[in-house]
Amino acid sequence: MMKPMLPTDDDTNIFFDKVVFLLQDNFGYSEVMASNLVHEYYEFFRDAESCDSINVPVQDDDFFFHESARGMALRIYYYLVLKADPDPHAFMKWRASLWRSKN
């Protein structure tokens, strides 16, 4: 399990454990670094002031599960590692180009 756990329920922590694994598997991060990225993302995108600062809505557990663990790993990579354009449409465009390049 991710340590420390996120300040949320067990199901969401289990979900983000999968995200940690995917960050390790897909992007080569250590477990510690992947866990740190998950925590940083969770804290930022659950905070109204932080989200307002980049013009995106606050994200909740429903949003995370809707995106899937793979989708959240991509979001974390895009927003925290690439530090790319925070506009949600820019993320969707980047994600679509990524999928096209793999097919």
Side-chain angles (χ1 to χ4, degrees):
M1 292 243 5
M2 185 174 30
K3 292 186 176 146
M5 293 177 57
L6 296 171
T8 186
D9 61 56
D10 288 342
D11 289 339
T12 304
N13 273 291
I14 291 167
F15 171 84
F16 276 107
D17 280 338
K18 293 174 188 171
V19 176
V20 167
F21 171 79
L22 290 168
L23 287 168
Q24 292 174 269
D25 193 50
N26 293 324
F27 300 107
Y29 290 106
S30 68
E31 184 176 3
V32 170
M33 183 61 182
S35 182
N36 288 343
L37 287 168
V38 164
H39 278 86
E40 182 180 347
Y41 186 95
Y42 186 87
E43 289 171 19
F44 187 92
F45 286 92
R46 294 285 298 137
D47 180 70
E49 284 184 38
S50 297
C51 289
D52 285 347
S53 75
I54 61 169
N55 255 354
V56 298
V58 172
Q59 297 172 6
D60 61 13
D61 291 356
D62 290 336
F63 177 85
F64 301 142
F65 282 95
H66 172 77
E67 285 297 303
S68 79
R70 185 168 307 282
M72 290 307 302
L74 289 175
R75 282 182 172 280
I76 290 167
Y77 183 75
Y78 177 85
Y79 285 102
L80 298 183
V81 176
L82 298 178
K83 298 188 186 309
D85 183 349
D87 182 279
H89 294 98
F91 168 75
M92 289 185 278
K93 186 175 178 180
W94 172 82
R95 182 180 60 192
S97 71
L98 185 66
W99 292 130
R100 279 194 299 274
S101 72
K102 292 191 182 239
N103 292 326

